[in-house]
Amino acid sequence: MKKQSGGGKGRASADDNDLDHEIWRHTAATIEPLKRAKPRFHPASDALKAGGKAAGVPKPKVSAEPERLPVKPRSAHAHPENPRPKPSPAKAPDLALFDRNSVRKLRGGRTEIEARVDLHGMRQDEAHVALRSFLFSCQRRGLRFVLVITGKGKTNGKALSEEGYGERERGVLKRNVPRWLDEPELRAIVVSFTVAAIQHGGEGAMYVHLRSKNRA
């Protein structure tokens, strides 16, 4: 009797196992795979985490070529290859001959000498500065006829300067003042010059005719 009950239990277990496998195969055949949710981060974020950097921060792109700035379109009217030449400064006019009528009026006292400067006894550099300052000041004031005193001097002798700077050749200013009046800057304000009358210094002085302010 014991053997029969044991055999019955074995067959019951085998039947149960077959039933379980049959149920599992039926269940497995009817299962549908679930859709996976999209990852929150770019796959490269895992690599960044592995490298010890903050997650979610993209690695900056490094370009070997320098950044090119946009080129401004060239105007159709621009010609950089042929730039317009800069205007050259106006050339100072040449000195003119002193007007004869003006000379007669000055010598006869009918035209007044409006200002005068005495360069006699000055060194050359001092006289040059004094002459320029005097003429520019007179021209700005609107004066027309002025007198420049140089001193007659002697070209064949020497004398000690009053300032004690040593020997200087006499008559230097008489020769240099006409050259200074012919400089471009002074020609811009000087019309002409000529030797003065005896009563105004003769060969040791000269009349200077200045340009008007509007024509300088």
Side-chain angles (χ1 to χ4, degrees):
M1 293 297 291
K2 292 182 180 180
K3 289 181 181 181
Q4 290 177 357
S5 60
K9 289 182 179 181
R11 284 192 301 270
S13 297
D15 292 340
D16 292 339
N17 290 336
D18 292 341
L19 181 60
D20 291 340
H21 286 301
E22 183 65 24
I23 293 172
W24 169 249
R25 284 195 299 269
H26 177 73
T27 303
T30 58
I31 292 176
E32 293 182 2
L34 296 176
K35 295 182 180 181
R36 294 184 179 181
K38 295 183 179 180
R40 294 184 180 180
F41 302 102
H42 193 274
S45 61
D46 295 335
L48 293 176
K49 289 180 180 180
K53 296 183 180 180
V57 180
K59 186 177 181 181
K61 296 181 180 179
V62 179
S63 177
E65 297 183 359
E67 182 180 359
R68 296 182 180 180
L69 298 177
V71 180
K72 186 178 181 181
R74 182 181 298 178
S75 174
H77 300 284
H79 300 282
E81 64 276 5
N82 296 320
R84 182 176 298 178
K86 295 182 180 179
S88 57
K91 182 181 178 181
D94 295 331
L95 293 173
L97 294 176
F98 210 97
D99 182 67
R100 292 182 179 181
N101 292 330
S102 298
V103 173
R104 285 196 295 265
K105 291 179 180 180
L106 286 168
R107 290 176 178 176
R110 287 177 292 173
T111 296
E112 180 184 2
I113 297 174
E114 299 169 283
R116 64 187 66 205
V117 62
D118 190 353
L119 306 179
H120 183 259
M122 294 184 183
R123 293 185 300 173
Q124 293 186 54
D125 54 347
E126 294 173 343
H128 192 190
V129 173
L131 176 66
R132 289 171 55 89
S133 177
F134 169 74
L135 294 179
F136 279 110
S137 174
C138 291
Q139 196 269 342
R140 286 194 299 268
R141 291 158 54 193
L143 307 184
R144 301 299 301 278
F145 296 100
V146 298
L147 183 69
V148 177
I149 302 172
T150 61
K152 296 180 180 179
K154 293 181 180 180
T155 57
N156 58 354
K158 291 184 178 180
L160 187 67
S161 66
E162 297 178 1
E163 295 83 357
Y165 292 108
E167 291 184 347
R168 61 176 176 84
E169 186 179 357
R170 299 186 65 182
V172 170
L173 297 182
K174 181 181 176 181
R175 296 193 307 274
N176 283 347
V177 167
R179 291 203 293 264
W180 295 340
L181 292 175
D182 197 29
E183 294 175 347
E185 289 185 352
L186 288 183
R187 285 207 316 269
I189 64 171
V190 174
V191 177
S192 58
F193 65 91
T194 189
V195 178
I198 295 176
Q199 66 269 27
H200 294 142
E203 294 182 358
M206 58 185 65
Y207 302 128
V208 178
H209 181 194
L210 298 175
R211 300 183 190 280
S212 64
K213 292 190 295 185
N214 297 331
R215 296 182 180 181

